[in-house]
Amino acid sequence: MAQDVDPERAEVQGLAREAAECRRCDLYRAATQVVFGQGPADAALFLVGEQPGDQEDKAGRPFVGPAGRILDQALAEAGLDRGRLYVTNAVKHFKHEMRGKRRMHQRPNQGEIEACRWWLNREIAVVQPAVIVALGATAARSLMGRPVVLLREEGRPLTWADGRPGVATYHPSAILRARDDAARTRTFAALVAALTQAREMAGDFLRATSKARMG
């Protein structure tokens, strides 16, 4: 007996297969593979990071390295189940430079962000999330279509360029780079607070939508 196929899930999988052959910028040349988003195709919350890191590039999955472990801790403290979220990156290939035998992260430039926004917009169009969280300035820039000053906007409710609500907060890697324990504690607390806020925003949106449908 044939299994029922979730059309949205199938569409996300189709996008991932297309993206595997992406040549919209030159980042594919040095990367191991494209790292596409993962999560339920009907997720209410949609998280966007900057780009895959070294471990994500090798595994082909987002947020599986040290920053991913920080994110998982923050999600747990915010009362969120990662399995119910869609998690992706603004840029799908790992941009890096070699230092000896190590591959060191490099921030994507505007052209690379713009080239990959085509894929991000298609992910959002399929998933149709209630709330989008930008993890870091690169993700916020991709979603807003212009630079976002994270220190000014962090923790405030935002409306992204496509009209969807969301928040911008620190990328988990900022916690790893923090200069001391006090800075790490502050940055982690801000990340948890933003994720908690996003969870509440999504709940409010879904309740309002449900009421409207019941009429």
Side-chain angles (χ1 to χ4, degrees), residues 108-146:
N109 62 38
Q110 181 178 351
E112 291 154 353
I113 294 169
E114 291 297 323
C116 218
R117 189 160 59 175
W118 189 77
W119 292 110
L120 179 61
N121 287 344
R122 293 179 74 185
E123 287 178 288
I124 293 170
V126 172
V127 177
Q128 293 289 317
V131 176
I132 302 177
V133 179
L135 300 171
T138 296
R141 178 174 188 155
S142 181
L143 290 162
M144 195 65 83
R146 59 172 173 78

Side-chain angles (χ1 to χ4, degrees), residues 27-36 51-65 89 91-96 98 103:
L27 291 183
Y28 75 92
R29 296 182 185 277
T32 303
Q33 58 191 318
V34 74
V35 179
F36 211 67
Q51 65 163 338
D54 181 71
Q55 293 188 33
E56 289 81 5
D57 173 73
K58 293 172 181 175
R61 293 180 288 119
F63 284 98
V64 296
N89 282 296
V91 173
K92 312 300 187 193
H93 284 110
F94 177 36
K95 183 176 182 179
H96 61 277
M98 298 303 299
R103 301 191 302 172

Side-chain angles (χ1 to χ4, degrees), residues 77-190:
E77 291 208 17
L80 288 165
D81 177 358
R82 178 164 170 172
R84 300 181 65 181
L85 313 178
Y86 190 92
V87 181
T88 191
N89 282 296
V91 173
K92 312 300 187 193
H93 284 110
F94 177 36
K95 183 176 182 179
H96 61 277
E97 62 178 355
M98 298 303 299
R99 293 185 190 170
K101 295 184 178 180
R102 297 185 65 190
R103 301 191 302 172
M104 303 302 294
H105 162 276
Q106 284 187 303
R107 179 170 291 185
N109 62 38
Q110 181 178 351
E112 291 154 353
I113 294 169
E114 291 297 323
C116 218
R117 189 160 59 175
W118 189 77
W119 292 110
L120 179 61
N121 287 344
R122 293 179 74 185
E123 287 178 288
I124 293 170
V126 172
V127 177
Q128 293 289 317
V131 176
I132 302 177
V133 179
L135 300 171
T138 296
R141 178 174 188 155
S142 181
L143 290 162
M144 195 65 83
R146 59 172 173 78
V148 173
V149 180
L150 195 59
L151 285 175
R152 186 173 64 209
E153 303 294 351
E154 197 278 329
R156 294 176 55 188
L158 297 173
T159 301
W160 301 118
D162 69 349
R164 295 179 195 278
V167 294
T169 187
Y170 298 103
H171 192 283
S173 62
I175 296 158
L176 298 172
R177 297 192 303 268
R179 64 183 181 275
D180 54 38
D181 287 344
R184 277 189 287 276
T185 298
R186 286 195 304 271
T187 308
F188 183 77

